[in-house]
Every structure is written in structure tokens, then in C-alpha cells.
Amino acid sequence: MKIDKYKKLRNGKYELIMENGEGIQLYEDTILKYNLLLTKSIDINNKDLIKFDKKCEIYYTALKNIKTRLKSKMELKEFLIKKEYSTDCIDDILKKLEKQGYINDLFYAKSFLNNKLITTSNGPRKIKLELQKKGIRQDIIDDVLEEYNDDIQLEKINKIANRIVKSNRNKSNKALKIKINNDLGLEGFSKKLIDQVINDLKFASEDEIAKKEYEKLRKRLSRKYSGEELEIKIKQKMYQKGFCYK
């Protein structure tokens, strides 16, 4: 079929107007590959041409998606699958993007780790699980997490532990240690390093904290209880807070 004229569109596409007035949209890459500018004719039933143009669509869709946020190979593949592109075409495009350097799981993992170190309290175990969910190979994860060494972890654990201590001044030392252990464990730090930090932490005097808590509880509970019942209620509350009250 003869091509009468070409009309440039957005996103690297052209509309080819046929001599009968019909139009077909193709990517510039397709036009150049099949010499359509020179021949000024097209076989609209050419399956290879149609498949190549579809790959161009997948390629530019993937590039646009990567520009919004860096993605792992698996994340990008899942995005393209949701667009209902064929798996074979997706795999070909992913290989092309990898070769061009637009997809690089090692670079992605390093960027992911650096971002987590700056913006979160995540420990290595938690980061490892997140990277696994994003389809990063285990050898890449192991290589990248070597950068998250014990010194960096101890510095972060110290900051978190001290923050917990400062914001929980009404808790007993026992309760504080339990909370620090639990919170940091959930963040993905090793018990060995957590214990090391806890052993070096300076806690406030237990007697002073207990005395203040006792007075606060007595003042509050005496509105409802008195005598022996009041003392029992205070004792229960003190035990719940981790204080040894006699």
C-alpha cells in the first residue's frame, strides 16, 4: 500500500497516511528499520513489522516507567505483564534494556541500600527481605549488604536505642531493654549487636523512676481506691511497668 504522507506524533510515533486516506501509527524506529521513508509503501500484513513495532511500544513504555522511579528487573517485568504484553516480547526488551544499562539489579540494590540507610531505621535482615521480594539475586544481595558493616549498624542501633530511652523515661530499665530488643529485632538487626549496645547504654536510676511512677499512680488511683486495695492496685501497675515493688 502506498504512503501518501507522514505526520509526526508524540512519543516517537508517526501517523502514516495512505493514498486511500487510511492511517496507521508506527514508531520512528519501525519506519527507519523497514525503509518506509524511501520505499513510501508498506505491507500492513507484514507480521515481522507489526511485531517489531509492538516491541518498540513495550520498549518506550518501559523507559517511561523507569524514569518515574528506578526499578529492579522483576519489578519492571511485572509492570509490563500487567500491561498484557506477550512474555516473549517482554523478555527481549528486558535484555535490550539490560544491555543498554537502563536495568541493572546491582546498581538498583546499592541505591536501595543507600536510600534505606539515610531514610529508615531498617537493619540488614529487613533490607535483605525487601530486596528478595524485588527479585534481586541472592549473590547480589550478599555483595551489597557487605557495605552495611557492624560499625554502621552499631551507630544506627545506638541512635535508635537512645531515642527509645529518652522517649520512655517512665519505664523501668527492664521494660526498656525488652522494648529496645523487640523494636530493633523487628527492624532486622542481629541480637548480638543489640545486646552489645544495651550493655553499653546508660540507664537512669531505677529507684528514682520507680519513686516517680509510684507517686503518679498513687495520685491517680487514690481517686478510686483506698487502703489495702489501693496498694494492691499500685503494686499491679508497677509490676506491669517492670518495677520490682514491695
Side-chain angles (χ1 to χ4, degrees), residues 37-240:
L37 287 173
L38 295 175
T39 62
K40 293 188 177 180
S41 66
I42 181 174
D43 177 4
I44 59 174
N45 296 313
N46 185 329
K47 291 182 180 180
D48 289 337
L49 183 149
I50 294 169
K51 185 175 181 180
F52 181 83
D53 197 67
K54 175 57 70 173
K55 284 186 177 182
C56 289
E57 179 185 335
I58 299 170
Y59 176 79
Y60 288 111
T61 300
L63 275 184
K64 185 178 179 181
N65 186 255
I66 292 171
K67 285 180 181 179
T68 61
R69 180 178 66 81
L70 191 64
K71 288 181 174 64
S72 68
K73 182 179 178 180
M74 189 187 81
E75 284 182 304
L76 187 57
K77 183 172 184 176
E78 289 176 344
F79 166 77
L80 294 173
I81 287 173
K82 287 179 181 178
K83 293 284 186 180
E84 298 184 349
Y85 295 126
S86 74
T87 305
D88 288 344
C89 287
I90 290 173
D91 289 339
D92 288 344
I93 294 304
L94 291 176
K95 288 176 183 176
K96 180 178 179 179
L97 289 168
E98 278 186 300
K99 188 175 181 179
Q100 293 176 330
Y102 289 113
I103 301 175
N104 186 319
D105 277 357
L106 176 58
F107 178 77
Y108 174 88
K110 287 183 177 180
S111 299
F112 185 88
L113 172 62
N114 290 334
N115 181 62
K116 289 294 181 179
L117 289 177
I118 295 169
T119 63
T120 75
S121 300
N122 294 169
R125 191 170 65 249
K126 193 168 186 178
I127 292 173
K128 176 182 177 180
L129 290 172
E130 290 188 59
L131 286 172
Q132 286 174 338
K133 289 179 182 178
K134 294 178 183 296
I136 306 300
R137 295 200 321 264
Q138 191 59 52
D139 60 313
I140 292 177
I141 295 174
D142 292 340
D143 182 42
V144 168
L145 284 180
E146 284 184 9
E147 297 178 24
Y148 201 171
N149 57 46
D150 286 0
D151 289 337
I152 297 174
Q153 290 183 58
L154 286 168
E155 183 181 355
K156 191 171 281 287
I157 293 170
N158 259 302
K159 287 181 180 179
I160 298 169
N162 279 296
R163 189 165 65 238
I164 292 171
V165 171
K166 288 179 182 178
S167 60
N168 293 274
R169 296 185 183 279
N170 63 330
K171 285 185 170 64
S172 68
N173 293 342
K174 178 182 177 182
L176 273 174
K177 289 177 182 180
I178 291 172
K179 180 172 177 55
I180 292 169
N181 255 306
N182 290 342
D183 288 4
L184 288 168
L186 289 172
E187 285 293 346
F189 293 100
S190 71
K191 191 174 188 310
K192 177 185 175 182
L193 293 180
I194 295 171
D195 288 343
Q196 184 177 328
V197 168
I198 288 176
N199 290 335
D200 293 337
L201 275 177
K202 293 182 179 179
F203 294 94
S205 169
E206 185 94 336
D207 292 339
E208 289 180 17
I209 299 172
K211 185 177 179 180
K212 287 180 181 179
E213 282 304 300
Y214 175 83
E215 293 301 330
K216 283 167 62 177
L217 287 169
R218 172 171 278 280
K219 184 177 180 180
R220 178 164 61 85
L221 294 173
S222 61
R223 298 169 189 165
K224 190 174 180 180
Y225 307 101
S226 61
E228 186 178 346
E229 187 178 12
L230 173 60
E231 289 301 317
I232 291 172
K233 292 295 181 181
I234 293 174
K235 183 183 289 188
Q236 289 174 345
K237 294 292 183 182
M238 292 291 282
Y239 279 141
Q240 287 172 10

